[in-house]
Amino acid sequence: MDKDLREAYEDLLGAVNKMRTIGHASRYLVEGVTPVEMRALVVILFSRRDEDEVRPSLVAHRLGTTKSALSQILRSLEEKGFIERRRSEKDSRAVVLELTSKGESSLMKLRESCDSEMMALVSHIGLDDLRHLKLTVDKIVEFYESLGESPVGSKSAHLEGEPLPHPPFAPCWPDGDEEGDAPCA
């Protein structure tokens, strides 16, 4: 790597690390919920778009965790009043997950906050820089796909129609209309 590329590379790493240390991530959590619990809530919310019933196995798969690890997360969310588990109407042996009114209203309040902050960020960045950033991200995805890999969060890294995980530095919340949208958590 030549000197200019090395300097640019180190500058980029420094900027990314600085962005990670800003500490904004906690602003994108529902009060009293851990980051992993937040991800589970968002997966339950967005899974309802495609599924009549959201089962724990689906949530575990989309979170990339085991059913036993998810069981602890669900127990905590249930104790905090954000979700409830009930028997499936289609198969009485199966358990399905639902957000409670507390869970739904908490996520909707968070969405409003995320939307407001993201619009302020987009305004601060400006349209030209935002378009340039999008093209750059597309090139990064293209590079990894050319290696036969899928960057975390890319459409090809997940089953068709599943919510995609978000990068930890990109607070966003989709309106659900665009393919590839990812909720923040």
Side-chain angles (χ1 to χ4, degrees), residues 80 102 168 174:
K80 294 173 183 178
K102 176 182 177 179

Side-chain angles (χ1 to χ4, degrees), residues 23-44 59 62-65 69-70 72-74 76-77 80 82 107 110 165-169 173 183-185:
H24 74 277
S26 63
R27 292 196 312 265
Y28 299 102
L29 294 176
V30 169
E31 189 174 337
V33 173
T34 67
V36 71
E37 290 171 345
M38 185 68 205
R39 288 183 60 218
L41 286 173
V42 171
V43 167
I44 293 167
V59 176
R62 290 184 177 179
L63 287 176
T65 191
L70 180 68
Q72 294 175 1
I73 295 166
L74 296 177
S76 176
L77 288 170
K80 294 173 183 178
F82 290 101
L107 286 172
L110 182 63
H166 62 88
F169 53 84
W173 198 296
C184 75

Side-chain angles (χ1 to χ4, degrees), residues 4-137:
D4 289 339
L5 280 176
R6 171 57 84 184
E7 285 179 18
Y9 169 74
E10 289 175 2
D11 286 347
L12 176 62
L13 286 180
V16 168
N17 285 331
K18 186 175 184 179
M19 196 166 45
R20 286 183 179 162
T21 62
I22 290 172
H24 74 277
S26 63
R27 292 196 312 265
Y28 299 102
L29 294 176
V30 169
E31 189 174 337
V33 173
T34 67
V36 71
E37 290 171 345
M38 185 68 205
R39 288 183 60 218
L41 286 173
V42 171
V43 167
I44 293 167
L45 175 70
F46 282 88
S47 294
R48 290 187 330 185
R49 290 193 296 192
D50 304 320
E51 307 293 331
D52 291 335
E53 298 181 332
V54 178
R55 295 186 181 186
S57 58
L58 175 69
V59 176
H61 174 75
R62 290 184 177 179
L63 287 176
T65 191
T66 64
K67 291 178 191 175
S68 61
L70 180 68
S71 180
Q72 294 175 1
I73 295 166
L74 296 177
R75 187 177 319 112
S76 176
L77 288 170
E78 195 170 29
E79 288 170 0
K80 294 173 183 178
F82 290 101
I83 66 162
E84 54 187 27
R85 292 185 252 199
R86 63 171 179 78
R87 290 283 168 202
S88 167
E89 293 176 7
K90 296 178 181 179
D91 179 355
S92 62
R93 298 168 296 168
V95 172
V96 295
L97 306 170
E98 290 186 358
L99 293 173
T100 62
S101 57
K102 176 182 177 179
E104 284 198 36
S105 66
S106 295
L107 286 172
M108 291 306 106
K109 287 177 191 171
L110 182 63
R111 179 183 178 160
E112 291 170 10
S113 176
C114 286
D115 287 348
S116 176
E117 187 165 326
M118 284 306 297
M119 290 309 297
L121 177 62
V122 166
S123 178
H124 176 76
I125 291 171
L127 191 55
D128 289 340
D129 285 344
L130 197 60
R131 286 182 177 149
H132 185 74
L133 176 61
K134 197 252 186 233
L135 292 173
T136 302
V137 170

